[in-house]
Amino acid sequence: MMNWYIENGPDSDVVVSSRVRLARNFKGYPFPFRMSKEQQEEILEKTKNAIFKGNEFMQKDFSFTDISSLNTIERYALVEKHIISKEIVNNKNHSGLILSSDEKISIMVNEEDHLRIQCLESGMKMDSAWETCNRIDLLLEEDIDFAFNESLGYLTCCPTNLGTAIRVSAMLHLPALTMTGYIRTILDACGKLGIAVRGLYGENTEATGNMFQLSNQVTLGKNEEDIIKSIKNITYQIIEQERILREELYKQNKHKFEDRIFRSYGVLQNARIINTDECLKKLSDVRLGVDMGIITEIKITSINEIMLMIQPGGLQKVANKEITPEERDVIRAELIRQKLIKQIS
Amino acid sequence: MMNWYIENGPDSDVVVSSRVRLARNFKGYPFPFRMSKEQQEEILEKTKNAIFKGNEFMQKDFSFTDISSLNTIERYALVEKHIISKEIVNNKNHSGLILSSDEKISIMVNEEDHLRIQCLESGMKMDSAWETCNRIDLLLEEDIDFAFNESLGYLTCCPTNLGTAIRVSAMLHLPALTMTGYIRTILDACGKLGIAVRGLYGENTEATGNMFQLSNQVTLGKNEEDIIKSIKNITYQIIEQERILREELYKQNKHKFEDRIFRSYGVLQNARIINTDECLKKLSDVRLGVDMGIITEIKITSINEIMLMIQPGGLQKVANKEITPEERDVIRAELIRQKLIKQIS
């Protein structure tokens, strides 16, 4: 089984990844932010039991990590992999993570809600991500009574998640829409349709490297299938527009287009110091070059790998110690060179 | 025999080339700017005779080019090779060029003076350049009476050349002195010592790519050997300071130093559009990298070749037609890539 980022999913020229997550809370327990230590332990135990007890496949393929025992570096590495949210890094609760070996399926325990079930897939694969989440949800429901109300649906810590408690999202790479400025129109349209657009690392993050994350805002009054359908519809429209603009930009000035792509590629292959922001911008150019068949010697999945690898947390994990931002910029440059050279030869 | 720019001369880490030129005028003829057509022809004929008549070696190794028959592109290509001066491109006189096969030795006829004898060598080789010029001068004097005055020495069109009528110059690559700003001190000192400092293409040109051309201003009241000695002295001092600063900069921040060099290298290997100015700046970084053993896969002489190749005139000669500046930037980028890739493989 392959991690999502080294798989090549459908429509991967524009859609980097699809994600579905469900929020669930136990009936008869307060929400995590006001639980007692004992209640936190009970939730952890009950969840582990529901997943692992007598289920040989789950026992083999899933592992449990005690988040409270991880240091800040290790937690940030999980944020960068989109497995936990960055708000949870400083969480004082006793929290845990149940993760599949391919890192696609995760269940966070005692985060903002008692449970967050998430499935991450490569490319445009919202349906399959939803099916996976649904299967895990059903498995858990065999043992656990979730807090549910006829009119409000699943009860969640934050009222914006009430109802289906589902969040469907797509990470899109939109360099041509950004270059031409048409991204503004897209963002306005999304707002009107109740779709939130964020940067690479969720709320309050910028769209570094031309990465935009679309997700539903409404969770109440619509069923899961309808929510997924509406996100899929708008995503397909954006894919179409992005593709047309890429071709147009290329046709308008082939040399200028290639110059930008190859210069970024040249810098990534040669730099000795590079910060995250510059790196993500240059990777965006290279990704575009690979998608358009201009750069043929590297694979799109390598760019996914590099994107995960170059984040501060991931780098510190590689270095196996806390390192200064200056050291990070040097190690980052070195890792990128190794990765790109390995790809070519 | 190799052209100067593909030879690796002494002290070539700092000294790109050495040059000596002598100005000579015929006795009994007005200076070129007020000669009749007939007088121009006589000067041309007498010079050709003096060089070629009964001298088998000269006949074999030297060729005559009628400058008046060259188009603007071809003339600019000679300017870029430092064989003729840019002031002469629009010269209406009937002028000619006698050039050795290695392009080191040239005699320009009916330029600013009747004759300009020049020798260009790779690296720090002023003595040998002077010896060569002197030999050619003696050969010409066997047949020609030069305008000479006991108190003024050789008579020249421009009074600043009176006396020895010698110009000794060195083309220096001074990136570390420039980066640190110490170049100012050098320029001031040169001014006080009567040494002119110019850019890559002579008077009124900027020091693009950290290239500085040192040459004597005084030609009167000193003999040739003393003039050469004083230029050599200051050049050796500059070489020493440039080398110390390079090492210091490298030691201060190895990563930053290498980052600059390799980024420039990466851009030159990958750009699809590049103008002369950016190209010369990046070549300066790469030259520094090669000199310091940081880049090992290419030779310094390839950088010399690229420097000549990328000039507008040289590019037009390659393209074999007049081309727009936009086309030039594309062809330039392509030639550099070919040259650098050929070097590596």
Side-chain angles (χ1 to χ4, degrees):
Chain A
M1 278 210 268
M2 288 203 291
N3 288 9
W4 72 269
Y5 51 87
I6 54 170
E7 247 181 38
N8 204 351
D11 303 307
S12 67
D13 57 332
V14 180
V15 186
V16 178
S17 61
S18 302
R19 184 158 39 144
V20 170
R21 75 114 182 83
L22 304 173
R24 294 292 183 262
N25 288 282
F26 283 56
K27 203 170 175 173
Y29 283 85
F31 288 128
F33 72 94
R34 44 190 202 88
M35 279 198 294
S36 69
K37 280 285 159 204
E38 292 70 33
Q39 289 170 323
Q40 293 170 22
E41 301 306 326
E42 283 173 37
I43 298 279
L44 272 169
E45 279 318 300
K46 286 185 175 176
T47 308
K48 277 157 76 175
N49 267 333
I51 291 290
F52 295 116
K53 58 112 203 13
N55 186 328
E56 221 173 296
F57 172 77
M58 296 300 279
Q59 283 169 12
K60 241 178 148 170
D61 195 54
F62 283 65
S63 60
F64 175 80
T65 306
D66 189 339
I67 296 288
S68 308
S69 73
L70 300 183
N71 61 30
T72 315
I73 295 174
E74 292 164 321
R75 290 182 191 205
Y76 267 112
L78 289 173
V79 172
E80 291 160 4
K81 284 182 162 184
H82 300 283
I83 290 168
I84 68 174
S85 66
K86 73 176 168 30
E87 286 73 22
I88 223 63
V89 167
N90 299 315
N91 184 2
K92 298 274 175 271
N93 275 356
H94 189 190
S95 53
L97 167 68
I98 295 168
L99 187 67
S100 65
S101 62
D102 61 7
E103 298 187 3
K104 283 182 189 169
I105 310 165
S106 61
I107 304 157
M108 272 298 308
V109 190
N110 294 336
E111 212 199 31
E112 186 183 303
D113 291 295
H114 294 151
L115 300 181
R116 289 276 175 108
I117 305 160
Q118 177 180 275
C119 180
L120 198 56
E121 290 274 7
S122 186
M124 185 73 173
K125 270 182 139 177
M126 290 163 205
D127 290 324
S128 115
W130 157 239
E131 280 159 29
T132 305
C133 282
N134 199 26
R135 267 206 318 279
I136 300 287
D137 185 34
L138 292 173
L139 178 68
L140 290 163
E141 276 191 326
E142 288 175 16
D143 290 287
I144 304 167
D145 260 354
F146 287 139
F148 186 84
N149 172 302
E150 275 304 319
S151 62
L152 292 175
Y154 288 103
L155 301 181
T156 53
C157 182
C158 178
T160 59
N161 291 322
L162 284 172
T164 51
I166 195 175
R167 174 141 298 155
V168 184
S169 50
M171 184 69 76
L172 308 181
H173 182 229
L174 306 174
L177 281 161
T178 308
M179 279 182 225
T180 54
Y182 285 122
I183 193 73
R184 281 274 120 229
T185 321
I186 302 284
L187 298 183
D188 289 350
C190 286
K192 282 174 196 155
L193 292 165
I195 287 169
V197 185
R198 300 186 179 86
L200 192 52
Y201 294 102
E203 289 181 54
N204 307 320
T205 68
E206 253 189 276
T208 326
N210 304 315
M211 290 289 178
F212 296 85
Q213 184 186 279
L214 260 60
S215 59
N216 63 305
Q217 280 179 309
V218 181
T219 51
L220 195 62
K222 272 183 168 185
N223 68 24
E224 289 86 349
E225 279 76 11
D226 286 342
I227 291 169
I228 292 169
K229 213 167 142 185
S230 75
I231 292 278
K232 271 171 64 181
N233 275 343
I234 181 95
T235 303
Y236 278 123
Q237 285 176 46
I238 296 174
I239 293 173
E240 193 56 28
Q241 291 185 46
E242 171 68 21
R243 282 179 185 157
I244 291 169
L245 282 177
R246 287 181 186 182
E247 289 301 332
E248 270 180 22
L249 283 174
Y250 190 42
K251 259 188 244 157
Q252 261 170 37
N253 193 336
K254 186 173 168 288
H255 294 302
K256 200 176 146 194
F257 198 91
E258 292 186 349
D259 187 58
R260 178 184 169 136
I261 286 167
F262 278 106
R263 277 174 181 251
S264 292
Y265 189 38
V267 168
L268 288 178
Q269 284 179 307
N270 284 281
R272 261 57 183 172
I273 301 176
I274 196 163
N275 64 31
T276 313
D277 190 59
E278 186 192 358
C279 184
L280 289 173
K281 281 179 183 157
K282 301 254 184 299
L283 278 174
S284 168
D285 290 334
V286 173
R287 175 184 285 274
L288 179 61
V290 174
D291 283 335
M292 297 194 67
I294 294 167
I295 297 176
T296 52
E297 58 198 15
I298 56 170
K299 278 181 277 175
I300 205 79
T301 49
S302 304
I303 298 169
N304 288 342
E305 274 191 274
I306 293 174
M307 271 184 64
L308 290 178
M309 202 171 70
I310 54 136
Q311 302 297 325
L315 281 184
Q316 307 227 46
K317 242 186 115 184
V318 169
N320 208 11
K321 58 173 181 180
E322 273 223 39
I323 44 179
T324 66
E326 289 73 27
E327 289 172 318
R328 278 210 292 269
D329 290 351
V330 171
I331 296 176
R332 180 180 297 112
E334 199 181 321
L335 283 175
I336 296 167
R337 289 202 312 281
Q338 284 172 359
K339 190 82 202 160
L340 289 178
I341 289 162
K342 205 177 133 201
Q343 263 291 302
I344 297 164
S345 52
Chain B
M1 280 211 268
M2 289 202 291
N3 288 9
W4 72 269
Y5 50 88
I6 53 170
E7 247 181 37
N8 204 351
D11 302 307
S12 66
D13 58 332
V14 180
V15 186
V16 179
S17 60
S18 303
R19 184 157 40 142
V20 171
R21 76 112 182 86
L22 304 174
R24 295 289 182 264
N25 287 282
F26 283 55
K27 204 168 174 175
Y29 283 85
F31 287 128
F33 72 94
R34 45 191 202 85
M35 279 197 295
S36 68
K37 280 285 159 204
E38 292 71 33
Q39 288 170 323
Q40 293 171 24
E41 301 305 326
E42 282 173 37
I43 298 279
L44 272 169
E45 279 318 301
K46 285 186 175 174
T47 308
K48 278 156 75 176
N49 267 332
I51 291 289
F52 295 117
K53 59 110 204 12
N55 187 327
E56 222 173 295
F57 172 76
M58 296 299 279
Q59 282 169 13
K60 243 177 149 171
D61 194 55
F62 282 66
S63 61
F64 176 79
T65 305
D66 189 338
I67 296 288
S68 309
S69 73
L70 300 183
N71 61 30
T72 316
I73 295 175
E74 292 164 321
R75 289 182 192 203
Y76 268 111
L78 289 174
V79 173
E80 291 161 3
K81 283 182 161 184
H82 300 283
I83 290 168
I84 68 175
S85 67
K86 73 177 166 33
E87 286 73 21
I88 223 63
V89 168
N90 299 313
N91 185 0
K92 295 277 175 270
N93 275 357
H94 189 190
S95 53
L97 167 69
I98 296 168
L99 186 67
S100 65
S101 61
D102 60 7
E103 298 186 4
K104 284 183 189 170
I105 310 166
S106 62
I107 304 158
M108 273 296 309
V109 190
N110 294 337
E111 213 198 31
E112 185 184 304
D113 292 294
H114 293 152
L115 300 181
R116 289 276 176 109
I117 305 159
Q118 177 180 277
C119 180
L120 197 57
E121 290 274 8
S122 186
M124 184 74 172
K125 269 182 139 175
M126 290 162 205
D127 290 324
S128 115
W130 157 239
E131 281 159 28
T132 304
C133 281
N134 199 26
R135 268 206 317 279
I136 300 286
D137 186 35
L138 292 173
L139 177 69
L140 289 163
E141 276 190 326
E142 288 175 15
D143 289 286
I144 303 168
D145 260 354
F146 287 139
F148 187 85
N149 171 303
E150 274 306 318
S151 63
L152 292 175
Y154 288 102
L155 301 182
T156 54
C157 182
C158 177
T160 59
N161 290 322
L162 284 172
T164 52
I166 195 174
R167 174 142 298 155
V168 185
S169 50
M171 184 69 76
L172 308 182
H173 182 230
L174 306 175
L177 280 161
T178 308
M179 279 182 224
T180 53
Y182 285 121
I183 192 73
R184 280 274 120 230
T185 320
I186 302 285
L187 298 183
D188 289 349
C190 286
K192 282 175 195 153
L193 292 165
I195 289 168
V197 185
R198 302 184 177 88
L200 193 52
Y201 294 101
E203 290 183 52
N204 308 318
T205 68
E206 254 189 275
T208 326
N210 303 316
M211 290 289 177
F212 296 84
Q213 184 188 280
L214 259 61
S215 58
N216 64 305
Q217 280 179 310
V218 182
T219 51
L220 194 61
K222 271 184 170 185
N223 68 22
E224 288 86 349
E225 278 77 11
D226 285 342
I227 290 170
I228 292 169
K229 213 166 144 185
S230 76
I231 293 277
K232 272 171 66 179
N233 275 344
I234 181 95
T235 303
Y236 277 124
Q237 284 175 47
I238 295 173
I239 293 174
E240 192 58 27
Q241 290 184 46
E242 171 68 21
R243 282 181 185 155
I244 291 169
L245 282 176
R246 287 182 186 182
E247 290 301 333
E248 269 180 21
L249 283 174
Y250 190 42
K251 259 188 242 157
Q252 260 169 38
N253 194 335
K254 187 172 168 288
H255 295 302
K256 200 176 148 194
F257 198 92
E258 291 185 350
D259 187 57
R260 176 183 171 138
I261 286 168
F262 278 107
R263 279 173 180 252
S264 291
Y265 189 39
V267 168
L268 288 177
Q269 283 178 308
N270 284 282
R272 262 56 183 173
I273 301 176
I274 195 164
N275 65 30
T276 313
D277 190 59
E278 186 191 358
C279 184
L280 289 173
K281 282 178 183 158
K282 300 252 184 302
L283 277 175
S284 168
D285 290 335
V286 173
R287 174 184 286 274
L288 180 61
V290 174
D291 283 335
M292 297 194 67
I294 294 167
I295 297 176
T296 52
E297 60 198 13
I298 57 170
K299 277 180 277 174
I300 205 78
T301 50
S302 303
I303 298 169
N304 288 342
E305 274 190 275
I306 293 173
M307 271 184 64
L308 290 178
M309 202 171 70
I310 54 136
Q311 303 296 325
L315 282 183
Q316 307 226 47
K317 244 186 115 183
V318 169
N320 208 10
K321 59 172 182 182
E322 274 221 38
I323 44 179
T324 65
E326 289 74 28
E327 290 172 317
R328 278 210 292 268
D329 291 350
V330 172
I331 297 176
R332 180 179 297 112
E334 200 181 321
L335 283 176
I336 296 168
R337 289 201 312 281
Q338 285 173 358
K339 190 84 202 159
L340 289 179
I341 289 162
K342 206 178 130 203
Q343 262 291 302
I344 297 164
S345 53

